[in-house]
Amino acid sequence: MTTGQARAAAERIFAAAAELGTTRQEAILVTRAVHAVKKGRPTEVALTDTPQHRRRKLAHVVGCELWEPGVDPDEVLAAVLEAGRAAARERTPAAAA
């Protein structure tokens, strides 16, 4: 898997979040939780009990990206986290100065 493929997967996750009406922060939270499940670790993030099951639908999209053959889930998680940090930096340029 290339960095470009991981970034593309991250963008698909963020696009699904936007389409479902959730935030990028929510997408990061769900991606971390689904990644933990993929790695066999527990998570305390509820993936089903949200209004209109948006989190469950987003978790499905994330799961499809992380379980895709040939995909390194660690790279996808890293790309999602990096995109989240980049978006936060763009929102707060005065704090960086």
Side-chain angles (χ1 to χ4, degrees):
M1 168 172 239
T2 66
T3 302
Q5 290 171 315
R7 286 184 183 147
E11 287 308 312
R12 286 190 295 273
I13 290 168
F14 288 127
E19 185 176 314
L20 292 168
T22 61
T23 64
R24 290 176 77 87
Q25 191 63 28
E26 183 81 4
I28 292 167
L29 177 71
V30 170
T31 302
R32 284 182 177 200
V34 174
H35 181 266
V37 170
K38 170 110 174 109
K39 294 294 187 167
R41 296 188 308 265
T43 182
E44 295 194 11
V45 175
L47 296 175
T48 58
D49 55 341
T50 58
Q52 297 141 3
H53 299 289
R54 284 184 284 191
R55 193 179 281 180
R56 178 181 54 83
K57 291 175 183 177
L58 182 56
H60 175 77
V61 172
V62 172
C64 288
E65 294 296 338
L66 296 184
W67 265 269
E68 182 69 29
V71 168
D72 182 345
D74 296 331
E75 287 184 26
V76 174
L77 176 62
V80 166
L81 295 175
E82 179 56 34
R85 284 190 292 270
R89 284 191 301 268
E90 289 173 8
R91 283 193 308 270
T92 57

